[in-house]
Amino acid sequence: MVLGRMNRDEIEDAIIAFQASKWSAVLVADTTGEEGLNLQDCDGIVHADLPLAPSRVEQRIGRVDRFGRERRPLSQRVIIPSDADSSPWLAWLELLREGLGVFRRSISDVQFFLDGVEENVRRELFQRGAPGVLALVEGVQTALVAERHRLDQQHALDQLDLEAEDALAPLDALRQAEKEETRFGEDVDGWAHEVLRLYRRRVDSDRFTVDWNRRTLAPEVPWRDRFVPALNRPITYVREV
């Protein structure tokens, strides 16, 4: 189990035990399990509820459908209080499945768009119930395609702007960044050691080494092999060193 009342070490121990099981196993999680877990070895997900927030559903799926996942396809089942035609839960499931396609494709690229969808769904549920939500499905499909097209165009324009910049600008930015070595080191440490949970061993005041251990949260495949050239060798944030 992964529950809100558990501390970080208890959660990590639960994940390790779950992944090491020689038999079929089920990991039960509350909202705590929606973020920060690497479960790409799982066969599937059972959604025991259906929050009125597309981003939360996306985050859940993202715990399992992660880079390095080899098992395909990802099986998903959703439990709702009622599947009657008038059920608001069934209407919401239909919008997630057909309108946003959240069970087939990531929607992390359209986060700002999702805020408007969630607001409209809540309004329709209040004013018209299930029929109001179902009426949104086709419009959401069309708007989602348009939003992704707009983002693609914006990305293309941004790339043109970057290519037109003075080539010295990145170098100047790098020199400025090097003047803030301490802050840079703290930021990278926060990612490498607090988020990825790589093990850090101090060599002297300016140098250290990092190593992989059983509490490291990055998926072993393919990332461990890619980290190997940097493991157990002196590293520094101080350019002069």
Side-chain angles (χ1 to χ4, degrees):
M1 294 184 296
V2 172
L3 304 174
R5 65 172 182 265
M6 300 166 66
N7 60 40
R8 180 186 290 270
D9 288 338
E10 290 173 330
I11 290 176
E12 289 183 357
D13 289 342
I15 297 299
I16 291 171
F18 171 64
Q19 294 175 330
S21 175
K22 296 180 180 179
W23 308 97
S24 296
V26 175
L27 180 70
V28 179
D30 59 12
T31 55
T32 305
E34 291 179 353
E35 297 181 286
L37 302 185
N38 296 313
L39 302 172
Q40 61 271 15
D41 292 329
C42 292
D43 292 301
I45 306 172
V46 176
H47 300 269
D49 68 345
L50 205 57
L52 285 173
S55 58
R56 283 184 56 192
V57 180
E58 160 86 5
Q59 286 174 334
R60 287 182 185 178
I61 298 171
R63 300 309 94 217
V64 178
D65 192 14
R66 304 183 67 74
F67 185 78
R69 174 179 172 80
E70 297 179 357
R71 297 184 180 183
R72 289 291 188 272
L74 171 60
S75 177
Q76 298 190 67
R77 296 294 182 269
V78 180
I79 300 174
I80 56 178
S82 171
D83 60 359
D85 291 342
S86 60
S87 168
W89 295 111
L90 183 62
W92 174 230
L93 174 60
E94 183 72 6
L95 191 144
L96 286 173
R97 182 171 52 202
E98 301 301 330
L100 293 172
V102 67
F103 300 108
R104 299 188 302 272
R105 174 182 175 180
S106 173
I107 53 174
S108 60
D109 57 328
V110 289
Q111 286 298 317
F112 294 112
F113 173 79
L114 297 179
D115 292 339
V117 172
E118 186 175 339
E119 181 180 345
N120 289 339
V121 167
R122 291 179 182 274
R123 183 182 64 250
E124 290 298 330
L125 281 174
F126 179 75
Q127 295 179 347
R128 300 171 57 196
V133 176
L134 289 174
L136 294 175
V137 173
E138 186 174 348
V140 167
Q141 286 178 327
T142 302
L144 183 59
V145 171
E147 175 67 5
R148 285 188 165 131
H149 180 65
R150 184 190 70 79
L151 291 174
D152 288 342
Q153 288 183 318
Q154 184 62 54
H155 177 70
L157 291 173
D158 290 343
Q159 289 298 110
L160 290 174
D161 286 341
L162 288 173
E163 292 170 3
E165 287 182 357
D166 186 348
L168 293 177
L171 181 59
D172 292 337
L174 178 60
R175 287 171 176 163
Q176 180 61 34
E178 288 174 347
K179 294 178 181 179
E180 304 177 9
E181 290 171 343
T182 301
R183 179 181 175 187
F184 172 76
E186 291 173 351
D187 288 345
V188 176
D189 279 347
W191 171 251
H193 309 301
E194 296 176 17
V195 178
L196 294 182
R197 306 302 293 275
L198 292 168
Y199 178 74
R200 171 174 175 151
R201 182 182 294 106
R202 182 172 175 175
V203 176
D204 55 36
S205 60
D206 293 322
R207 297 181 302 160
F208 59 93
T209 63
V210 295
D211 198 8
W212 204 277
N213 64 72
R214 72 184 188 91
R215 296 189 181 279
T216 300
L217 296 182
E220 288 231 0
V221 179
W223 296 111
R224 184 164 188 167
D225 287 343
R226 298 191 181 185
F227 271 91
V228 163
L231 298 180
N232 288 319
R233 60 177 296 180
I235 297 174
T236 184
Y237 296 128
V238 183
R239 181 174 177 82
E240 183 176 311
V241 172

